[in-house]
Amino acid sequence: MSARRILAGLAILLVLGAGAFVAYAWHSAIGPVDPPARASFDPALVSRGADLAAIGNCNVCHTAPGGAPFAGGLGIPTPFGTIYSTNITPDPESGIGRWSEAAFIRSMREGVNREGRHLYPAFPYDHYTLVTDEDSRALYAFLMTRKAVSAASPANELPFPFNIRMLLAGWKALYLREGPLQPDSNRSAEWNRGRYLVEGLSHCGACHTPRNRLGAEKKDEYFAGAEVENWTVYAINANSPAPVPWNAESLTFYLRHGWHEHHGASRGSMAPVTANLGSIPEADVRAIAAYVSDAMGRPSQARIARGEAALATARKESEAPFAMRANSTGNGVGAAIFLSACQGCHDGRRPVPFGGLNLHLSSAVSAPNAQNIINVTLFGLPAAKGEPSAIMPAYHGVLNPDQLVALLNYMRDRFSDQPAWTDTRERVTATMSGEREVPIYRMDGTTQAPPEASMRTTPWP
């Protein structure tokens, strides 16, 4: 066979393959509709949709700092570029006001918008595909009864070839398994409800599971922890760093209230999650906690003993006279800073959330890296607006890098039984310089802009 015939055959195969891919990737548009009247939706359906939107944390990604709720415009950094969330208010021009219910359900199930364009999986349709049509209808009813806001989202900042949406069809072929989720008849109704919420609308794995080079979750490292928005998202499987093991009861309380006496307050991107879950029926939170605690597995006797020892040490320290506690903190720069700036709140004498957690119980101090304790030390825990909440002052501009590293090393050595961190200085330098941009969340889940770079790096005179 001549080389010309071989090349011709390859060209034909290439054309046929490209045609087959285009046929597979192509989706037709769903025609626009007149925006439905608010009164056309059953109030009970809207109320149910409100709970589902809270479970799905729709407001978190679809609301820019200082922007109108659900009006989009939030920049979501990814390894491939920045993707901006869309306006999901019923505005007919910039929002989803002309989307039919069928178009909305298709976006949830298949990750395709009304015009037939593939959506980027920053919108976690690999989870939302598991949601039932009935729940998608309730979400649609809720969103279509919000205030319409005219707000066009910025264009995504994605280089070639990531800006070619049709290529997402290949990603979906690899990683999207369309739902809805089928219940496991061998498990309880509560466990199945929790699984449905955790793997579907709550999309917990989107943050708590590490991703591969194509941005898909590593299913063989389910709930193994990751880094999101320069916060460490802890493992919620058997490798949880919590000194005191979680159980269904402690998880339920934490998810409903945003804190627990043995685990401290939620922070980072978990703060808006607990703020939202505090508004939904308790039965759903209990179901989520039941499923997640089952994924963590029953702790070993050694793990239980470690937790009991941490609790006993924390209790003993909280009951000791201040002079004894002060004398037991050790010597050196880190110890001196802790005694003067930290121990007054973190001695355990005032209960969480209005007192600081005894750091023997801190997941941040026992975590695989120091990032979260760096973030909290530098930027604090801002108070919720207009309501009592946990609060911690920020020490950016107070501590220089050497002092912060000394403090972190001291806390790790004194309060944790884990080995020393190995990259603390690099993380401190990157965070204080602004190279690691850290979003700050109040306890009520609202965002607060990070401090200016000069406030991160310039200590007080």
Side-chain angles (χ1 to χ4, degrees):
M1 183 180 293
S2 68
R4 181 176 297 178
R5 287 186 176 182
I6 293 174
L7 290 175
L10 290 175
I12 291 171
L13 288 175
L14 182 62
V15 170
L16 291 174
F21 179 79
V22 170
Y24 167 76
W26 184 81
H27 290 267
S28 62
I30 295 178
V33 299
D34 292 331
R38 293 169 63 94
S40 66
F41 294 100
D42 180 358
L45 190 66
V46 173
S47 177
R48 179 181 169 195
D51 288 339
L52 294 171
I55 292 169
N57 298 293
C58 303
N59 60 320
V60 177
C61 286
H62 288 278
T63 305
F70 304 109
L74 178 71
I76 302 171
T78 77
F80 314 103
T82 300
I83 296 171
Y84 289 90
S85 63
T86 54
N87 183 341
I88 55 172
T89 74
D91 181 69
E93 303 304 325
S94 60
I96 60 171
R98 296 195 180 278
W99 285 41
S100 65
E101 186 181 80
F104 182 80
I105 291 174
R106 182 174 74 168
S107 72
M108 296 283 285
R109 179 83 66 230
E110 302 177 29
V112 176
N113 71 5
R114 187 189 67 76
E115 292 82 8
R117 301 170 69 198
H118 290 280
L119 297 171
Y120 288 99
F123 173 66
Y125 50 77
D126 51 332
H127 289 273
Y128 293 165
T129 188
L130 304 178
V131 176
T132 64
D133 287 353
E134 291 77 12
D135 280 350
S136 289
R137 291 187 184 100
L139 270 172
Y140 177 77
F142 170 74
L143 292 173
M144 296 302 279
T145 53
R146 300 308 91 200
K147 180 181 178 181
V149 178
S150 177
S153 297
N156 294 328
E157 298 169 3
L158 297 170
F160 178 85
F162 305 119
N163 59 347
I164 301 176
R165 288 180 181 261
M166 187 169 285
L167 295 180
L168 291 167
W171 190 94
K172 291 177 180 179
L174 292 172
Y175 303 115
L176 178 62
R177 300 295 176 263
E178 290 188 18
L181 185 68
Q182 299 302 314
D184 184 342
S185 60
N186 295 318
R187 305 303 295 262
S188 69
E190 182 180 63
W191 185 93
N192 273 296
R193 177 65 175 170
R195 177 185 175 223
Y196 170 73
L197 295 176
V198 167
E199 298 193 9
L201 269 177
S202 287
H203 59 284
C204 302
C207 288
H208 285 278
T209 300
R211 295 178 179 271
N212 63 23
R213 292 185 178 182
L214 294 179
E217 294 171 30
K218 297 179 179 179
K219 298 303 182 183
D220 58 342
E221 297 182 39
Y222 186 56
F223 285 171
E227 288 207 28
V228 176
E229 296 183 316
N230 291 316
W231 288 87
T232 296
V233 182
Y234 300 135
I236 51 173
N237 56 18
N239 296 319
S240 165
V244 178
W246 290 96
N247 57 39
E249 287 301 317
S250 58
L251 270 172
T252 298
F253 189 95
Y254 174 83
L255 293 174
R256 279 180 58 77
H257 300 284
W259 61 274
H260 187 273
E261 61 177 339
H262 297 161
H263 299 280
S266 62
R267 55 195 175 275
S269 52
M270 193 64 196
V273 173
T274 56
N276 278 328
L277 292 180
S279 69
I280 70 169
E282 182 176 351
D284 279 342
V285 182
R286 287 194 173 277
I288 290 171
Y291 180 74
V292 173
S293 62
D294 183 68
M296 288 182 172
R298 186 183 299 275
S300 66
Q301 287 302 312
R303 184 90 165 77
I304 293 172
R306 177 190 169 205
E308 290 175 345
L311 285 170
T313 302
R315 191 177 302 114
K316 181 179 179 181
E317 288 189 358
S318 70
E319 295 170 352
F322 181 80
M324 184 180 297
R325 286 181 278 123
N327 290 334
S328 68
T329 57
N331 298 312
V333 173
I337 294 172
F338 185 86
L339 177 61
S340 61
C342 309
Q343 183 156 299
C345 288
H346 287 282
D347 61 2
R349 296 173 73 86
R350 288 176 294 178
V352 175
F354 303 116
L357 181 72
N358 183 290
L359 298 184
H360 287 289
L361 310 180
S362 170
S363 295
V365 174
S366 292
N369 62 65
Q371 190 61 53
N372 285 4
I373 199 73
I374 292 170
N375 294 348
V376 172
T377 304
L378 286 176
F379 308 128
L381 291 176
K385 289 185 175 180
E387 61 182 86
S389 72
I391 185 172
M392 177 176 158
Y395 288 91
H396 58 78
V398 178
L399 300 175
N400 64 35
D402 289 340
Q403 291 168 333
L404 180 54
V405 169
L407 174 62
L408 296 169
N409 289 339
Y410 169 76
M411 289 193 290
R412 178 72 163 188
D413 180 64
R414 178 183 170 190
F415 294 106
S416 174
D417 58 2
Q418 300 299 300
W421 290 310
T422 59
D423 61 349
T424 302
R425 182 167 292 278
E426 291 82 356
R427 288 178 178 272
V428 165
T429 300
T431 306
M432 294 186 77
S433 69
E435 178 185 341
R436 282 178 172 265
E437 187 172 341
V438 179
I440 309 302
Y441 296 87
R442 298 182 177 90
M443 279 293 293
D444 59 2
T446 58
T447 57
Q448 174 172 299
E452 295 295 328
S454 61
M455 297 177 69
R456 294 191 185 95
T457 57
T458 306
W460 286 356

mmCIF file of all heavy atoms in Angstrom, residues 208-230:
data_model
loop_
_atom_site.group_PDB
_atom_site.id
_atom_site.type_symbol
_atom_site.label_atom_id
_atom_site.label_comp_id
_atom_site.label_asym_id
_atom_site.label_seq_id
_atom_site.Cartn_x
_atom_site.Cartn_y
_atom_site.Cartn_z
ATOM 1 N N HIS A 208 -13.457 18.527 49.646
ATOM 2 C CA HIS A 208 -12.775 17.611 50.562
ATOM 3 C C HIS A 208 -12.060 16.463 49.864
ATOM 4 O O HIS A 208 -11.483 15.603 50.535
ATOM 5 C CB HIS A 208 -13.778 17.047 51.578
ATOM 6 C CG HIS A 208 -14.181 18.022 52.636
ATOM 7 N ND1 HIS A 208 -13.415 18.257 53.758
ATOM 8 C CD2 HIS A 208 -15.258 18.836 52.742
ATOM 9 C CE1 HIS A 208 -14.012 19.161 54.511
ATOM 10 N NE2 HIS A 208 -15.126 19.536 53.925
ATOM 11 N N THR A 209 -12.103 16.414 48.526
ATOM 12 C CA THR A 209 -11.419 15.361 47.781
ATOM 13 C C THR A 209 -10.393 15.999 46.849
ATOM 14 O O THR A 209 -10.723 16.948 46.129
ATOM 15 C CB THR A 209 -12.432 14.535 46.957
ATOM 16 O OG1 THR A 209 -13.376 13.931 47.848
ATOM 17 C CG2 THR A 209 -11.730 13.443 46.162
ATOM 18 N N PRO A 210 -9.148 15.531 46.847
ATOM 19 C CA PRO A 210 -8.144 16.108 45.937
ATOM 20 C C PRO A 210 -8.494 15.833 44.480
ATOM 21 O O PRO A 210 -9.250 14.909 44.171
ATOM 22 C CB PRO A 210 -6.846 15.413 46.353
ATOM 23 C CG PRO A 210 -7.275 14.149 47.018
ATOM 24 C CD PRO A 210 -8.593 14.441 47.667
ATOM 25 N N ARG A 211 -7.921 16.631 43.591
ATOM 26 C CA ARG A 211 -8.239 16.541 42.165
ATOM 27 C C ARG A 211 -7.012 16.144 41.348
ATOM 28 O O ARG A 211 -5.876 16.390 41.747
ATOM 29 C CB ARG A 211 -8.796 17.875 41.663
ATOM 30 C CG ARG A 211 -10.130 18.234 42.306
ATOM 31 C CD ARG A 211 -10.655 19.575 41.848
ATOM 32 N NE ARG A 211 -11.943 19.866 42.468
ATOM 33 C CZ ARG A 211 -13.120 19.524 41.964
ATOM 34 N NH1 ARG A 211 -13.173 18.890 40.795
ATOM 35 N NH2 ARG A 211 -14.241 19.813 42.592
ATOM 36 N N ASN A 212 -7.285 15.565 40.181
ATOM 37 C CA ASN A 212 -6.199 15.190 39.288
ATOM 38 C C ASN A 212 -5.849 16.354 38.364
ATOM 39 O O ASN A 212 -6.378 17.465 38.506
ATOM 40 C CB ASN A 212 -6.559 13.926 38.498
ATOM 41 C CG ASN A 212 -7.774 14.125 37.586
ATOM 42 O OD1 ASN A 212 -8.112 15.243 37.189
ATOM 43 N ND2 ASN A 212 -8.439 13.033 37.238
ATOM 44 N N ARG A 213 -4.981 16.121 37.403
ATOM 45 C CA ARG A 213 -4.497 17.202 36.547
ATOM 46 C C ARG A 213 -5.576 17.755 35.625
ATOM 47 O O ARG A 213 -5.434 18.858 35.095
ATOM 48 C CB ARG A 213 -3.304 16.717 35.727
ATOM 49 C CG ARG A 213 -2.065 16.445 36.575
ATOM 50 C CD ARG A 213 -0.873 16.082 35.720
ATOM 51 N NE ARG A 213 0.322 15.865 36.530
ATOM 52 C CZ ARG A 213 1.515 15.577 36.028
ATOM 53 N NH1 ARG A 213 1.666 15.460 34.710
ATOM 54 N NH2 ARG A 213 2.554 15.397 36.826
ATOM 55 N N LEU A 214 -6.636 17.004 35.425
ATOM 56 C CA LEU A 214 -7.736 17.482 34.592
ATOM 57 C C LEU A 214 -8.840 18.123 35.422
ATOM 58 O O LEU A 214 -9.894 18.475 34.892
ATOM 59 C CB LEU A 214 -8.301 16.325 33.756
ATOM 60 C CG LEU A 214 -7.359 15.752 32.694
ATOM 61 C CD1 LEU A 214 -8.032 14.603 31.953
ATOM 62 C CD2 LEU A 214 -6.922 16.834 31.708
ATOM 63 N N GLY A 215 -8.600 18.278 36.716
ATOM 64 C CA GLY A 215 -9.569 18.957 37.563
ATOM 65 C C GLY A 215 -10.698 18.079 38.049
ATOM 66 O O GLY A 215 -11.675 18.592 38.608
ATOM 67 N N ALA A 216 -10.592 16.780 37.876
ATOM 68 C CA ALA A 216 -11.626 15.861 38.358
ATOM 69 C C ALA A 216 -11.227 15.305 39.717
ATOM 70 O O ALA A 216 -10.035 15.182 40.034
ATOM 71 C CB ALA A 216 -11.827 14.720 37.369
ATOM 72 N N GLU A 217 -12.217 14.983 40.524
ATOM 73 C CA GLU A 217 -11.935 14.425 41.842
ATOM 74 C C GLU A 217 -11.297 13.038 41.717
ATOM 75 O O GLU A 217 -11.685 12.242 40.864
ATOM 76 C CB GLU A 217 -13.229 14.322 42.651
ATOM 77 C CG GLU A 217 -13.846 15.666 42.988
ATOM 78 C CD GLU A 217 -15.228 15.533 43.596
ATOM 79 O OE1 GLU A 217 -15.484 14.508 44.259
ATOM 80 O OE2 GLU A 217 -16.057 16.441 43.404
ATOM 81 N N LYS A 218 -10.335 12.780 42.582
ATOM 82 C CA LYS A 218 -9.695 11.468 42.623
ATOM 83 C C LYS A 218 -10.566 10.532 43.460
ATOM 84 O O LYS A 218 -10.546 10.583 44.690
ATOM 85 C CB LYS A 218 -8.297 11.574 43.231
ATOM 86 C CG LYS A 218 -7.333 12.437 42.432
ATOM 87 C CD LYS A 218 -5.969 12.498 43.118
ATOM 88 C CE LYS A 218 -4.980 13.326 42.331
ATOM 89 N NZ LYS A 218 -3.658 13.402 43.011
ATOM 90 N N LYS A 219 -11.322 9.700 42.792
ATOM 91 C CA LYS A 219 -12.285 8.859 43.496
ATOM 92 C C LYS A 219 -11.612 7.868 44.440
ATOM 93 O O LYS A 219 -12.227 7.408 45.404
ATOM 94 C CB LYS A 219 -13.156 8.111 42.484
ATOM 95 C CG LYS A 219 -13.994 9.034 41.598
ATOM 96 C CD LYS A 219 -14.899 9.947 42.421
ATOM 97 C CE LYS A 219 -15.775 10.823 41.536
ATOM 98 N NZ LYS A 219 -16.606 11.769 42.323
ATOM 99 N N ASP A 220 -10.347 7.537 44.178
ATOM 100 C CA ASP A 220 -9.645 6.622 45.076
ATOM 101 C C ASP A 220 -9.071 7.350 46.293
ATOM 102 O O ASP A 220 -8.451 6.723 47.157
ATOM 103 C CB ASP A 220 -8.532 5.878 44.338
ATOM 104 C CG ASP A 220 -7.506 6.809 43.711
ATOM 105 O OD1 ASP A 220 -7.814 8.012 43.550
ATOM 106 O OD2 ASP A 220 -6.405 6.343 43.376
ATOM 107 N N GLU A 221 -9.273 8.681 46.366
ATOM 108 C CA GLU A 221 -8.865 9.456 47.538
ATOM 109 C C GLU A 221 -10.061 10.242 48.070
ATOM 110 O O GLU A 221 -9.961 11.400 48.453
ATOM 111 C CB GLU A 221 -7.708 10.395 47.183
ATOM 112 C CG GLU A 221 -6.444 9.672 46.750
ATOM 113 C CD GLU A 221 -5.297 10.623 46.455
ATOM 114 O OE1 GLU A 221 -5.152 11.622 47.197
ATOM 115 O OE2 GLU A 221 -4.567 10.378 45.475
ATOM 116 N N TYR A 222 -11.187 9.575 48.105
ATOM 117 C CA TYR A 222 -12.454 10.184 48.504
ATOM 118 C C TYR A 222 -12.352 10.796 49.896
ATOM 119 O O TYR A 222 -11.937 10.130 50.854
ATOM 120 C CB TYR A 222 -13.529 9.101 48.471
ATOM 121 C CG TYR A 222 -14.943 9.549 48.716
ATOM 122 C CD1 TYR A 222 -15.525 10.537 47.925
ATOM 123 C CD2 TYR A 222 -15.713 8.958 49.709
ATOM 124 C CE1 TYR A 222 -16.837 10.927 48.129
ATOM 125 C CE2 TYR A 222 -17.027 9.337 49.919
ATOM 126 C CZ TYR A 222 -17.586 10.326 49.130
ATOM 127 O OH TYR A 222 -18.888 10.706 49.340
ATOM 128 N N PHE A 223 -12.671 12.086 49.995
ATOM 129 C CA PHE A 223 -12.687 12.814 51.269
ATOM 130 C C PHE A 223 -11.309 12.874 51.931
ATOM 131 O O PHE A 223 -11.201 13.013 53.150
ATOM 132 C CB PHE A 223 -13.686 12.196 52.244
ATOM 133 C CG PHE A 223 -15.129 12.483 51.942
ATOM 134 C CD1 PHE A 223 -16.133 11.820 52.635
ATOM 135 C CD2 PHE A 223 -15.495 13.407 50.983
ATOM 136 C CE1 PHE A 223 -17.478 12.084 52.377
ATOM 137 C CE2 PHE A 223 -16.832 13.677 50.712
ATOM 138 C CZ PHE A 223 -17.827 13.007 51.415
ATOM 139 N N ALA A 224 -10.236 12.784 51.146
ATOM 140 C CA ALA A 224 -8.888 12.744 51.719
ATOM 141 C C ALA A 224 -8.318 14.125 52.000
ATOM 142 O O ALA A 224 -7.185 14.238 52.466
ATOM 143 C CB ALA A 224 -7.947 11.974 50.788
ATOM 144 N N GLY A 225 -9.085 15.186 51.727
ATOM 145 C CA GLY A 225 -8.613 16.536 51.996
ATOM 146 C C GLY A 225 -7.939 17.156 50.784
ATOM 147 O O GLY A 225 -7.461 16.463 49.889
ATOM 148 N N ALA A 226 -7.912 18.486 50.757
ATOM 149 C CA ALA A 226 -7.336 19.208 49.621
ATOM 150 C C ALA A 226 -7.029 20.631 50.077
ATOM 151 O O ALA A 226 -7.157 20.955 51.260
ATOM 152 C CB ALA A 226 -8.316 19.210 48.445
ATOM 153 N N GLU A 227 -6.602 21.468 49.138
ATOM 154 C CA GLU A 227 -6.440 22.896 49.412
ATOM 155 C C GLU A 227 -7.349 23.668 48.475
ATOM 156 O O GLU A 227 -7.328 23.462 47.261
ATOM 157 C CB GLU A 227 -4.981 23.334 49.244
ATOM 158 C CG GLU A 227 -4.080 22.822 50.357
ATOM 159 C CD GLU A 227 -2.861 23.699 50.599
ATOM 160 O OE1 GLU A 227 -2.933 24.920 50.340
ATOM 161 O OE2 GLU A 227 -1.844 23.158 51.055
ATOM 162 N N VAL A 228 -8.168 24.540 49.049
ATOM 163 C CA VAL A 228 -9.128 25.336 48.293
ATOM 164 C C VAL A 228 -9.025 26.780 48.770
ATOM 165 O O VAL A 228 -9.093 27.050 49.971
ATOM 166 C CB VAL A 228 -10.571 24.817 48.500
ATOM 167 C CG1 VAL A 228 -11.573 25.715 47.776
ATOM 168 C CG2 VAL A 228 -10.699 23.378 48.009
ATOM 169 N N GLU A 229 -8.846 27.687 47.835
ATOM 170 C CA GLU A 229 -8.749 29.118 48.143
ATOM 171 C C GLU A 229 -7.652 29.395 49.172
ATOM 172 O O GLU A 229 -7.761 30.278 50.007
ATOM 173 C CB GLU A 229 -10.086 29.661 48.660
ATOM 174 C CG GLU A 229 -11.210 29.614 47.642
ATOM 175 C CD GLU A 229 -12.490 30.238 48.169
ATOM 176 O OE1 GLU A 229 -12.858 29.970 49.333
ATOM 177 O OE2 GLU A 229 -13.116 31.005 47.422
ATOM 178 N N ASN A 230 -6.579 28.602 49.107
ATOM 179 C CA ASN A 230 -5.453 28.731 50.032
ATOM 180 C C ASN A 230 -5.857 28.496 51.487
ATOM 181 O O ASN A 230 -5.253 29.040 52.419
ATOM 182 C CB ASN A 230 -4.754 30.084 49.856
ATOM 183 C CG ASN A 230 -4.021 30.157 48.530
ATOM 184 O OD1 ASN A 230 -3.341 29.216 48.132
ATOM 185 N ND2 ASN A 230 -4.184 31.264 47.817
#
